[in-house]
Amino acid sequence: TWELCGEWAARFPVPFERERIHPVEFDHGDTRNLLAARSRGDLLVFLTQDAIPGSPRWLRTLVANFDGERVGAAYCRNVPRPDADPLTALFSRGDPGYATERREVRLPAAAEYAALGPHERRLLYNFNDVASAVRRELWERHPFPRASFGEDVLMARALLEAGWTVVYDAEATVEHSHDYDARQTYERAFIDGKFNAEWL
């Protein structure tokens, strides 16, 4: 991939830069902040290496959400890979990041917000930076926190509490799923639970 990106750099329609970091340097929040700091645009778009845009109009569809002046961030619908394990496809149906309906999320009134339980808060803050975009001016005020997990949820929480809207765009899709065995499912659920206990 590194060599292929190098070959494409000269043919790319806009300036294209690449940089390697050692795996020990990787952090979900810090690495995204590094990329954002090195970029120059007004809109920061993030796409992980294992997410495949669903159509040639993917980027245009995602970016169109920012026509709304109060939209601070937007993220894409994940679609299970065609060869995904049947259980992966089944579990994704209940995941808000795979839902087929568009959502525009804003913070509710103060009293209602204060009364929300942990699960309701997790759903409210739901954001997946696997395929997403954030206004640069907001990232500068609310950069991704250093985190081994949940940096995107914490970013969404900050934006919502600052009065911005977070959009889930079901029309902007990426092929993205992971087949977990029983042990991996347990480990992922443990990380989820720990995050929820610490932050929600």
Side-chain angles (χ1 to χ4, degrees):
T1 302
W2 179 258
E3 289 75 19
L4 187 63
C5 287
E7 292 171 18
W8 269 91
R11 296 181 294 185
F12 216 64
V14 295
F16 182 89
E17 298 173 27
R18 60 190 177 138
E19 180 173 346
R20 267 188 166 148
I21 62 170
H22 192 280
V24 76
E25 298 176 84
F26 179 80
D27 173 84
H28 287 286
D30 282 353
T31 302
R32 285 171 172 83
N33 289 334
L34 172 68
L35 293 167
R38 300 263 167 95
S39 68
R40 293 178 289 277
D42 294 331
L43 195 61
L44 306 173
V45 177
F46 299 92
L47 182 70
T48 60
Q49 83 289 353
D50 60 345
I52 302 169
S55 80
R57 296 184 56 83
W58 165 80
L59 184 58
R60 182 178 303 211
T61 304
L62 176 62
V63 168
N65 289 289
F66 294 88
D67 290 345
E69 292 181 2
R70 295 305 301 168
V71 173
Y75 65 113
C76 300
R77 175 182 168 212
N78 287 277
V79 176
R81 301 190 189 289
D83 61 349
D85 185 278
L87 281 178
T88 300
L90 179 67
F91 290 149
S92 70
R93 290 184 197 146
D95 188 311
Y98 291 79
T100 57
E101 302 83 26
R102 176 184 178 84
R103 294 188 304 274
E104 295 189 12
V105 180
R106 295 168 196 85
L107 212 62
E112 182 183 346
Y113 182 47
L116 293 178
H119 181 65
E120 295 164 314
R121 285 175 181 263
R122 179 63 186 263
L123 291 176
L124 178 71
Y125 306 146
N126 198 68
F127 183 66
N128 190 338
D129 58 13
V130 161
S132 61
V134 178
R135 290 187 192 272
R136 169 180 285 283
E137 62 179 301
L138 299 182
W139 167 79
E140 289 172 348
R141 288 184 236 161
H142 306 284
F144 289 103
R146 172 180 279 268
S148 60
F149 178 79
E151 78 292 339
D152 42 10
V153 174
L154 297 175
M155 154 96 49
R157 177 181 183 170
L159 296 181
L160 289 167
E161 289 182 345
W164 293 87
T165 299
V166 174
V167 172
Y168 169 74
D169 190 338
E171 296 299 316
T173 64
V174 291
E175 183 184 298
H176 180 256
S177 61
H178 298 284
D179 293 331
Y180 294 130
D181 61 23
R183 181 182 178 82
Q184 291 169 319
T185 300
Y186 172 83
E187 290 170 352
R188 177 58 192 259
F190 183 86
I191 292 169
D192 262 338
K194 184 177 180 201
F195 175 85
N196 292 346
E198 288 176 354
W199 292 101
L200 305 177

